[in-house]
Amino acid sequence: NAGVTQTPKFRVLKTGQSMTLLCAQDMNHEYMYWYRQDPGMGLRLIHYSVGEGTTAKGEVPDGYNVSRLKKQNFLLGLESAAPSQTSVYFCASSYWGQSNYEQYFGPGTRLTVT
Amino acid sequence: RKEVEQDPGPFNVPEGATVAFNCTYSNSASQSFFWYRQDCRKEPKLLMSVYSSGNEDGRFTAQLNRASQYISLLIRDSKLSDSATYLCVVGRSSGSARQLTFGSGTQLTVLP
């Protein structure tokens, strides 16, 4: 049981390049989330998904797109990277449940845009 | 104003000390409350949920005051392994999703 995994762990991009971050979970969770973490800012929600084929915007969605074609995978895309997108990106997943909010996080992807 | 506010610290305490962290939240619709722990360059992990009646897990005690919108975490008999950043987290329903809002964290270093 690997939990939540993220690919890649590190990446350096030039301004204007594109890339896709992959998140995979083997816990059969309905909900999946993408966050970014910047110094002094805490984790901020980019996009989330409540099930296969559905996505929604979070607090800071601009410049990112997502897709959830399979229940176990949640992809985060940067179409044209900007230096402001330099950050640590965390994926998380959680059960569907009326009172269950616990989220399980992947190890993170450290992205630098130059 | 941030939705979840924490003292960023850092808190530097000797082994065996008792240390308390505080947190306030602004959204009265918040329904669930947590402390997460994040080690340096690692992912956040759930430390404990926080209930209105207060709850304890070993050396850790969490309190919630809904009227004041205030959450606290007390660590007794600090260990070197407690060194980490502690994130105050509140949860609420948004549409069909369960969303968490994270504070920016309080950094703790336990010194030998």
Side-chain angles (χ1 to χ4, degrees):
Chain A
N1 190 335
V4 181
T5 57
Q6 292 183 232
T7 309
K9 290 186 168 51
F10 303 92
R11 186 72 187 268
V12 178
L13 286 180
K14 294 187 189 304
T15 297
Q17 288 184 319
S18 64
M19 77 165 294
T20 301
L21 283 67
L22 170 64
C23 176
Q25 52 95 5
D26 61 2
M27 296 175 282
N28 202 34
H29 286 169
E30 289 291 337
Y31 296 147
M32 296 188 75
Y33 308 83
W34 275 108
Y35 293 90
R36 61 178 288 173
Q37 187 175 34
D38 302 294
M41 298 292 291
L43 283 95
R44 292 182 292 169
L45 183 64
I46 304 171
H47 286 279
Y48 63 95
S49 168
V50 302
E52 183 178 322
T54 70
T55 63
K57 294 180 180 180
E59 180 187 354
V60 289
D62 293 342
Y64 305 95
N65 56 74
V66 288
S67 63
R68 183 115 180 254
L69 299 180
K70 293 183 179 181
K71 185 177 183 179
Q72 63 268 34
N73 295 338
F74 195 28
L75 305 179
L76 177 71
L78 286 73
E79 289 185 346
S80 179
S84 61
Q85 293 178 304
T86 293
S87 189
V88 181
Y89 292 85
F90 287 103
C91 176
S93 68
S94 68
Y95 290 107
W96 182 91
Q98 289 299 318
S99 60
N100 192 334
Y101 284 76
E102 181 180 358
Q103 294 183 9
Y104 298 79
F105 284 81
T109 295
R110 283 166 175 75
L111 175 66
T112 301
V113 183
T114 61
Chain B
R1 182 187 171 192
K2 292 181 181 177
E3 190 169 331
V4 179
E5 302 242 29
Q6 295 182 249
D7 181 344
F11 284 63
N12 298 316
V13 302
E15 259 187 301
T18 296
V19 61
F21 303 140
N22 303 317
C23 165
T24 57
Y25 62 96
S26 60
N27 192 332
S28 59
S30 299
Q31 299 160 310
S32 298
F33 308 89
F34 309 91
W35 286 99
Y36 274 68
R37 170 191 169 130
Q38 186 173 24
D39 293 310
C40 187
R41 301 181 71 80
K42 299 287 189 180
E43 71 273 22
K45 291 184 179 178
L46 179 66
L47 177 67
M48 60 194 300
S49 300
V50 187
Y51 303 112
S52 296
S53 54
N55 49 296
E56 189 173 302
D57 183 1
R59 298 180 292 106
F60 298 83
T61 301
Q63 299 277 357
L64 168 66
N65 184 321
R66 283 186 184 263
S68 304
Q69 298 184 188
Y70 171 91
I71 307 164
S72 65
L73 177 68
L74 184 76
I75 306 175
R76 292 182 301 279
D77 189 22
S78 300
K79 312 291 186 191
L80 296 177
S81 57
D82 294 334
S83 296
T85 296
Y86 291 83
L87 307 174
C88 178
V89 185
V90 302
R92 60 184 169 86
S93 293
S94 176
S96 55
R98 311 277 185 270
Q99 288 196 15
L100 297 182
T101 301
F102 290 77
S104 54
T106 299
Q107 186 181 343
L108 171 67
T109 301
V110 181
L111 304 168

